[in-house]
Amino acid sequence: MTATATPTKIRLKVLRQKDQGSESYWEEYVIPMKEKLNVISALMEVQKNPVTTEGRDVAPPTWDGACLEEVCGSCTMNINGAVRQACTALIEVVGDVVGDTYEVTLEPMKKFPVVRDLVVDRSRMFENLKKVKGWVPIDGSYDLGMAQPQDDQIRQVRYALSRCMTCGCCVEACPQVNERSAFVGPAALGQALLFNLHPVGKTLEKDRLDFLTGEEGITGCGNAQNCVKVCPKSVPLTRAIAQLNRDTTVYKLKRWMGLV
């Protein structure tokens, strides 16, 4: 509906859930519109006076957040049907204008267990990092001596991959991550390449490629490219997946020939 005037109110429709074993339900709240208000700030306004549009006093909605500057990745949620960070989601940008009101629907991510309301448990992402050994091995690294100088282009790729904040946007958007698939997800693939490109992290490359050639690995990717579209940090996930496709193919050939 076309707005007839500058919106003066915000209507938040929040999908709530007491805990993982409870049924979800909707609640709506109306608060005054303020310029440059983001979703987190709007939820904080509700928190001051948690009364629904039906006039019921309720416990305020629960959400996750820390940095409020799109660095920690913890405030990821579905906002008007699109997964993104709530701290950088300005009401004026994400809200649907209906008359004199911005309407915003908030839901938790659906690929993760709900802890409460908009808070989800992202443990699976950190477990996936363990599976791909997403780290630099420290023990014995001193004995390796100084690392070889790296090409600037490789450093730039590594920096782009290192921007991942494990927010979950790419996992939420990926159609291949579901209850019927063992696919480890795009975030873990990006981190696997990051550490394969690292001079010291490369010492675990064989272990990572072994994992990525398995059921949970690269073959689970359907190349939908949703991941790179929703990534708030512009991590080059599709480039990483393409490189890992090549690397795992070469690795499997070498393994078949007994060269690794």
Side-chain angles (χ1 to χ4, degrees):
M1 182 181 295
T2 303
T4 57
T6 302
T8 57
K9 296 181 292 184
I10 303 169
R11 180 185 295 270
L12 290 180
K13 184 178 181 182
V14 183
L15 184 62
R16 304 197 59 180
Q17 190 170 332
K18 184 178 180 181
D19 52 47
Q20 189 174 351
S22 303
E23 292 291 326
S24 59
Y25 59 95
W26 291 96
E27 282 184 349
E28 295 186 16
Y29 314 88
V30 173
I31 59 174
M33 175 60 192
K34 296 180 182 178
E35 189 179 6
K36 304 302 181 184
L37 205 67
N38 62 24
V39 167
I40 295 293
S41 298
L43 285 168
M44 294 173 88
E45 289 297 313
V46 171
Q47 192 177 50
K48 294 177 184 177
N49 184 31
V51 178
T52 68
T53 53
E54 299 169 342
R56 293 187 296 109
D57 291 319
V58 296
T62 304
W63 69 92
D64 217 344
C67 71
L68 300 183
E69 54 185 4
E70 204 172 75
V71 173
C72 72
S74 61
C75 67
T76 314
M77 61 183 73
N78 285 297
I79 301 172
N80 277 358
V83 65
R84 61 167 298 163
Q85 302 290 284
C87 63
T88 53
L90 295 177
I91 297 296
E92 297 144 273
V93 176
V94 300
D96 294 328
V97 179
V98 180
D100 64 347
T101 305
Y102 282 114
E103 295 200 345
V104 181
T105 299
L106 306 179
E107 302 173 77
M109 287 193 286
K110 300 173 183 177
K111 301 289 180 72
F112 302 89
V114 173
V115 176
R116 183 180 178 90
D117 296 338
L118 301 170
V119 180
V120 299
D121 181 358
R122 291 178 294 139
S123 295
R124 67 181 295 179
M125 294 194 70
F126 300 100
E127 292 301 317
N128 288 340
L129 288 177
K130 294 179 184 178
K131 292 178 181 179
V132 300
K133 297 191 176 182
W135 59 76
V136 174
I138 297 299
D139 293 343
S141 61
Y142 178 81
D143 298 330
L144 298 176
M146 290 183 62
Q148 294 296 318
Q150 277 205 300
D151 183 272
D152 279 343
Q153 291 184 341
I154 294 177
R155 282 205 295 263
Q156 289 172 9
V157 172
R158 280 178 48 209
Y159 176 73
L161 292 170
S162 73
R163 291 198 297 256
C164 175
M165 53 189 180
T166 324
C167 66
C169 284
C170 62
V171 174
E172 178 74 0
C174 178
Q176 303 304 117
V177 176
N178 55 63
E179 65 278 0
R180 301 179 303 279
S181 169
F183 180 44
V184 75
L189 297 184
Q191 295 307 288
L193 180 60
L194 167 64
F195 291 103
N196 280 353
L197 293 174
H198 190 281
V200 180
K202 194 176 182 66
T203 57
L204 296 177
E205 183 178 24
K206 180 180 180 297
D207 294 337
R208 296 191 190 101
L209 293 178
D210 267 331
F211 173 79
L212 292 176
T213 56
E215 182 183 4
E216 298 177 74
I218 196 75
T219 57
C221 175
N223 200 32
Q225 302 189 33
N226 290 3
C227 54
V228 77
K229 293 177 182 177
V230 300
C231 178
K233 308 306 286 186
S234 300
V235 176
L237 291 167
T238 50
R239 177 177 178 177
I241 291 168
Q243 180 65 45
L244 288 173
N245 263 312
R246 178 191 179 280
D247 292 347
T248 51
T249 299
V250 171
Y251 175 75
K252 284 188 288 186
L253 283 171
K254 288 183 176 180
R255 189 172 60 184
W256 177 69
M257 296 171 67
L259 299 178
V260 292

